[in-house]
Amino acid sequence: MNRLKRLISICLFTMLFCTIFLSGCGKDDTSDKTTFIVGFDAEFPPYGYKDDNGEYVGFDLELAQVVADRNGWELVKQPIDWDSKDMELGSGSIDCIWNGFTINGREKDYTWSTAYVDNSQVVIVKKDSDIKKLSDLAGKIVVVQSDSSALAAFTGEDATEENIKLCESFKDLQQVGDYNSAFMNLEAGSVQAICMDIGVANFQVKQRGDKFVVLDENVSSEQYGIGFKKGNTKLRDEVQTTLNEMLADGTFAQIAEKWELTDCVCLGREGTDSAYNQDAGESGNEAFFDKFIYITKQLGEGMIATLTIFFFTLILALPFGLLLTFLRMSKLSIVRWIAKIYISIMRGTPLMLQLLVVFFGPYFLFGITVSASYRFAAVIIGFSLNYAAYFAEIYRAGIEGIPVGQYEACSVLGYTKSQTFFKIIFPQMVKRVIPPVTNEVITLVKDTSLAFALAYTEMFTLAKQLVAAEASIIPLFVAGLFYYVFNFIVAMIMEQIEKKMQYYR
């Protein structure tokens, strides 16, 4: 235990040191530029997305291309994980966030351009839905993108009292990583509505035929701007000057017309420069350790979710893996080949894809409506089916490594096949497979973060959401510390079990 405490203390100190060190590191924003790196969500049409030719296109990206060309820069279109946008910007790996980025509620977190788009948050439902107005959302499950304007409209500091009450009337407000997942959930029936930006909503509804409709009532309204790292007024002013020139010569209007956003743009109008004119100085930071403790408490619920996935998966996957081993070693060729094909599919395809198939498969393959309560079950089923395949091959290697002479000796002594296996072979197999099983168990702890593919919020997902909310990378270091300490405990327990089974020593 003393050794464990010392190791935890060292890990904690290392995490804190790295956090403090990284927080002081950044890119020299005043150096002469040759490239202009724009961070954007690649699944946010019509502002930024990948077209049928595999090219990144969109309204914002076309504006950025003209800005780069007129300033003699090479434009670098950098797709980013939206939850990690603050880390990307703070580390200097991107120059700005330009992708339908809402100013409202974030005025003090970035150095902003003037607003160039007036945007509204709207609700999308199935065409045959009984939801006709916002009040009909009471008792329904609504989904939003994580760290989006829609989420802020319901739960942010600036959320109106009306929207807070509306959110409280929902059965649940769920978050997904992208809008493709949101529409899959809506079509499958696991949620009843999506809240999102009107420009994106109109594009998505148009692309998906007549399956969905946009409600007439708006949830909220806000403005889009270009977000730069706090204090980087030099680059902001260069980009803003170019945008103003594009507005004056008609280029901005032409691009807006091309992307059918003429009714939404507001560049140059009165009242669009409030965030632009704010003080560009660094915002104050609360005490580091106070923030660290606060974030740790916030991650508590996510830690419980992670541990739940971990333990349920082990309880189901370990015995199912043994059953697969028996099938894989069966004398019946048809049974043996079915097991081989299953194991090959589970090991040869991504776990995230398998989770999506388990959850959405019943609807898209058989037309069975998926309920929200099935979400957690789908996570456990997906993880268990995947890890059972790996455990099965580990078990098989352990069994086949036992010398055949032991089987012959048991036969001579009058043991039955079941007695031979469970009294002689199985104990030796367990001893042999503990190291590789330990590796898989440790991998499982980290793989629990993939549960967010089904909008199930576990610890790492919660950490990314806190990163976006706090504009700090501390939540990720706290999550990393939890993963390491828990995996260290797992490895230590498995090592003790392995030592106990080394009876011949």
Side-chain angles (χ1 to χ4, degrees), residues 177-219:
D178 58 80
Y179 285 122
N180 286 327
S181 297
F183 275 96
M184 289 176 67
N185 276 274
L186 180 59
E187 189 170 354
S190 58
V191 303
Q192 285 77 55
I194 307 172
C195 187
M196 60 195 305
D197 302 57
I198 188 170
V200 184
N202 290 334
F203 182 91
Q204 292 282 4
V205 169
K206 181 179 179 181
Q207 292 293 313
R208 296 173 186 271
D210 60 350
K211 295 181 180 179
F212 309 100
V213 294
V214 179
L215 299 188
D216 294 332
E217 295 179 85
N218 293 343
V219 173

Side-chain angles (χ1 to χ4, degrees), residues 43-54:
E43 298 178 356
F44 199 69
Y47 298 96
Y49 65 102
K50 181 175 285 189
D51 66 8
D52 294 336
N53 297 320

Side-chain angles (χ1 to χ4, degrees), residues 460-479:
F460 192 71
T461 298
L462 196 58
K464 292 195 296 181
Q465 293 170 3
L466 283 171
V467 166
E470 299 291 327
S472 168
I473 61 173
I474 297 176
L476 292 183
F477 281 101
V478 175

Side-chain angles (χ1 to χ4, degrees), residues 444-491:
L444 171 60
V445 176
K446 296 177 288 186
D447 277 353
T448 54
S449 61
L450 295 176
F452 187 60
L454 301 187
Y456 184 81
T457 304
E458 40 62 60
M459 187 188 61
F460 192 71
T461 298
L462 196 58
K464 292 195 296 181
Q465 293 170 3
L466 283 171
V467 166
E470 299 291 327
S472 168
I473 61 173
I474 297 176
L476 292 183
F477 281 101
V478 175
L481 179 62
F482 168 82
Y483 282 124
Y484 182 79
V485 171
F486 184 70
N487 277 329
F488 176 81
I489 294 173
V490 169

Side-chain angles (χ1 to χ4, degrees), residues 339-386:
K340 287 178 68 175
I341 292 172
Y342 172 83
I343 292 172
S344 176
I345 292 174
M346 290 296 106
R347 297 197 303 170
T349 56
L351 174 55
M352 182 179 292
L353 174 61
Q354 295 167 23
L355 290 171
L356 293 173
V357 170
V358 170
F359 184 67
F360 293 111
Y363 175 79
F364 288 101
L365 296 178
F366 308 108
I368 301 173
T369 301
V370 178
S371 66
S373 59
Y374 176 59
R375 196 178 304 277
F376 174 71
V379 170
I380 301 303
I381 293 171
F383 272 91
S384 300
L385 293 177
N386 177 272

Side-chain angles (χ1 to χ4, degrees), residues 322 326 399 416-427:
L322 188 61
F326 294 148
I399 293 172
T416 64
K417 289 185 178 181
S418 61
Q419 288 175 328
T420 298
F421 180 79
F422 288 106
K423 291 186 177 182
I424 305 300
I425 305 302
F426 183 75

